[in-house]
Amino acid sequence: MADEPRKPAIGKDEWVATHEERTAGGRRSGLERRWQRIPAVVRLALVVVPAAVMPLFVSSDYVMQVATVTAIYALLALGLNVVVGFAGLLDLGYVAFYGFGAYSFALLSSDQFKVHWPALVTVPLIVVGTALLGFVVALPSRRLLGDYLAIVTLFFGTIFVVLVTNANRITPPWKDGPVDITGGPNGIAGIDQFDLVFFKVETVTQYFYLALAVFTVVVSGLFLLNDSRVGRAWRALREDPLAAELMGMPINRLKLLAFSFGAGIAGLTGTIFAPLQNGVFPSNFDLALLITLYAMVILGGAGSIAGVVIGAVTINVVLEVLRTPEKSRVVFYALVLVALVAWLRPWRLLASVLAGTVAFGFGVHAIAAAAWPEQTAGSPGGPGGWIGDAVDGWMVLLTHPKSGGNAAYGLLLLAICLLTLIRGRWRAAALVPVLYLASFVWENRLVTEPSITRLILLGSLLIALMNVRPQGLLGSARVEIV
């Protein structure tokens, strides 16, 4: 009957199933719901087609290089998402599979051993070999979870870097002297271009199209895999391994399969990276790359294919923008303004904090210029741009900013910790000097240190996101009943 109340479905926890509709944090916007209604093929085309057309309007090799590296990062993030997002396994040795693929391509397509096989032969062998390596690594790890799995896989990743760094002086049993396998710290240079027999990939733009084509194939395969029985079993494994095992799922085999798939994608990506860079080196596969990849997956939302792609694009583009002081200033002040607009309510409170920060800055600048004119005669670090010109008369710029900037950075961390303990209008009032102190540290210390600044801003962005939306931009919130 139409008026008959709907009864709970047998075998289904409807409270969990309707969690996202019942909670404000889980409601999806109308735009996101309409996006999900679009067929998957059309959604993929809406991403791939504009990317494919972009080189027609771009003449800068630098922009194309960034675009190609972004596509490579997206592939790596997709492979890591299989292990971490789909199956819920904390794999800290993932970068080693990427390095294995890159070094294998270098050994089979360079003068290192005078082997010059075409890519149509080497790539399938490397993908299968990397997947088998993932299977072998997962064998002793299949009964481990959480921190224990992380320790074992991290050990494997560390061994790989040590091995390729020192494998230039290995003496095999059938040799009288050492053999240089990986080139040691100097790596392997002069790698052959990606040869498809009928076509050789040589320019950056051609590598971009190659990476985009591989990306399209990988995304399509993962979408189908995610909706298959294996994909649903991976999600069950991720949510509760014990419950999945009690339901008859072969969780050990599922773990081995997840490691193999993720490793295969990483190895495939390595075969594109090696000829693009025209060399492979141990430093290409260090811990910093692993942290960056995890940041991409966390930002986009573990388990979401579209999310990790968005995370890869966002983080790589932001890191490139932060290489120059002028552009990094725009990113810094834009992030601060967006955070204030998002969190400060009502609007008059936002206006009061902004006006108070501006007035506070001019007052501190006037006092410092009158009291210590010699110590505050500095200038904006690097090319200032219009933002640098704007803050020149508002911000105290130290003549010798290094020591003062370091002390201010420590004070800023303490101030932020204290700010979390204050409530109400006192927090809004304390926010004014904290914002000015953050700008002081930025202008005097961080803006001229792009390598440090990039990591700090990336970490701050992730911390803020995890507090606001722990599941990432497009990830699904986990429901736990205690």
Side-chain angles (χ1 to χ4, degrees):
M1 300 296 292
D3 297 332
E4 185 178 348
R6 185 170 60 90
K7 297 180 180 179
I10 298 175
K12 180 179 179 182
D13 192 334
E14 295 195 354
W15 185 89
V16 175
T18 60
H19 173 72
E20 291 196 350
E21 286 90 14
R22 292 182 292 97
T23 57
R27 292 196 185 101
R28 296 189 175 186
S29 64
L31 179 62
E32 187 176 351
R33 288 196 299 271
R34 286 193 293 270
W35 171 260
Q36 294 294 335
R37 294 193 191 105
I38 300 175
V41 176
V42 178
R43 276 184 278 163
L44 180 60
L46 290 175
V47 176
V48 174
V49 172
V53 175
M54 182 191 68
L56 302 178
F57 303 95
V58 174
S59 58
S60 171
D61 287 340
Y62 169 74
V63 174
M64 292 309 305
Q65 181 75 21
V66 173
T68 307
V69 173
T70 301
I72 289 176
Y73 274 139
L75 283 170
L76 288 173
L78 287 170
L80 182 61
N81 190 48
V82 172
V83 186
V84 178
F86 289 178
L89 305 174
L90 189 57
D91 179 11
L92 297 185
Y94 177 75
V95 174
F97 302 120
Y98 173 52
F100 180 83
Y103 267 95
S104 297
F105 189 91
L107 293 174
L108 296 175
S109 302
S110 71
D111 287 331
Q112 187 70 10
F113 290 114
K114 308 300 179 182
V115 178
H116 299 276
W117 289 359
L120 286 180
V121 176
T122 59
V123 171
L125 290 176
I126 292 171
V127 172
V128 173
T130 312
L132 290 176
L133 178 62
F135 181 86
V136 172
V137 172
L139 276 177
S141 309
R142 66 188 186 280
R143 298 186 181 276
L144 301 177
L145 290 174
D147 299 339
Y148 302 101
L149 178 62
I151 292 172
V152 172
T153 53
L154 180 61
F155 181 63
F156 166 69
T158 305
I159 286 178
F160 174 80
V161 175
V162 173
L163 178 64
V164 297
T165 304
N166 298 278
N168 60 332
R169 52 180 186 270
I170 294 179
T171 303
W174 61 88
K175 287 283 187 179
D176 295 332
V179 177
D180 183 3
I181 299 177
T182 63
N186 297 322
I188 302 174
I191 299 175
D192 298 343
Q193 297 301 315
F194 206 93
D195 188 1
L196 299 175
V197 179
F198 53 88
F199 180 74
K200 182 176 288 188
V201 182
E202 295 178 331
T203 66
V204 176
T205 302
Q206 290 172 345
Y207 273 104
F208 170 74
Y209 280 118
L210 173 64
L212 187 63
V214 174
F215 168 82
T216 304
V217 173
V218 170
V219 167
S220 302
L222 290 181
F223 178 81
L224 296 175
L225 183 63
N226 190 37
D227 283 347
S228 68
R229 292 178 61 186
V230 174
R232 294 193 294 271
W234 276 340
R235 290 195 293 275
L237 170 65
R238 177 190 65 193
E239 296 301 326
D240 194 327
L242 180 59
E245 187 174 17
L246 290 176
M247 294 176 67
M249 296 182 186
I251 61 173
N252 288 334
R253 278 186 283 172
L254 289 171
K255 292 179 183 180
L256 296 174
L257 196 60
F259 264 91
S260 298
F261 265 93
I265 295 175
L268 175 62
T269 309
T271 63
I272 302 174
F273 169 76
L276 171 66
Q277 187 176 248
N278 197 29
V280 288
F281 311 95
S283 59
N284 295 140
F285 314 105
D286 56 8
L287 185 61
L289 176 60
L290 178 67
I291 295 174
T292 303
L293 294 177
Y294 265 92
M296 294 172 180
V297 173
I298 293 171
L299 176 63
S304 169
I305 296 176
V308 298
V309 174
I310 293 174
V313 173
T314 301
I315 287 181
N316 192 55
V317 171
V318 169
L319 291 179
E320 287 297 325
V321 169
L322 292 176
R323 290 185 183 276
T324 60
E326 184 175 358
K327 294 179 180 178
S328 62
R329 280 191 174 92
V330 175
V331 174
F332 172 75
Y333 288 107
L335 287 177
V336 171
L337 184 59
V338 168
L340 292 176
V341 171
W343 287 325
L344 282 184
R345 292 291 186 278
W347 293 112
R348 62 177 180 273
L349 180 61
L350 173 63
S352 300
V353 170
L354 292 176
T357 304
V358 172
F360 183 84
F362 281 117
V364 171
H365 183 274
I367 295 173
W372 306 282
E374 295 181 357
Q375 287 78 19
T376 58
S379 58
W386 65 272
I387 296 182
D389 297 336
V391 303
D392 194 12
W394 173 73
M395 175 56 58
V396 176
L397 300 174
L398 301 178
T399 308
H400 305 287
K402 187 170 184 179
S403 58
N406 291 338
Y409 182 70
L411 183 62
L412 175 63
L413 296 179
L414 178 61
I416 293 175
C417 293
L418 294 177
L419 191 65
T420 60
L421 303 177
I422 306 175
R423 295 290 183 270
R425 297 189 178 275
W426 289 107
R427 173 180 286 185
L431 190 59
V432 171
V434 172
L435 287 174
Y436 187 80
L437 181 60
S439 300
F440 176 86
V441 172
W442 175 264
E443 294 293 340
N444 285 277
R445 192 70 184 93
L446 296 182
V447 77
T448 57
E449 300 278 355
S451 59
I452 300 175
T453 301
R454 296 163 73 197
L455 296 178
I456 291 176
L457 279 186
L458 179 60
S460 302
L461 176 64
L462 290 176
I463 291 173
L465 177 67
M466 290 301 98
N467 280 276
V468 177
R469 189 175 175 84
Q471 67 270 30
L473 295 176
L474 297 181
S476 300
R478 296 186 62 179
V479 182
E480 296 183 359
I481 305 176
V482 181

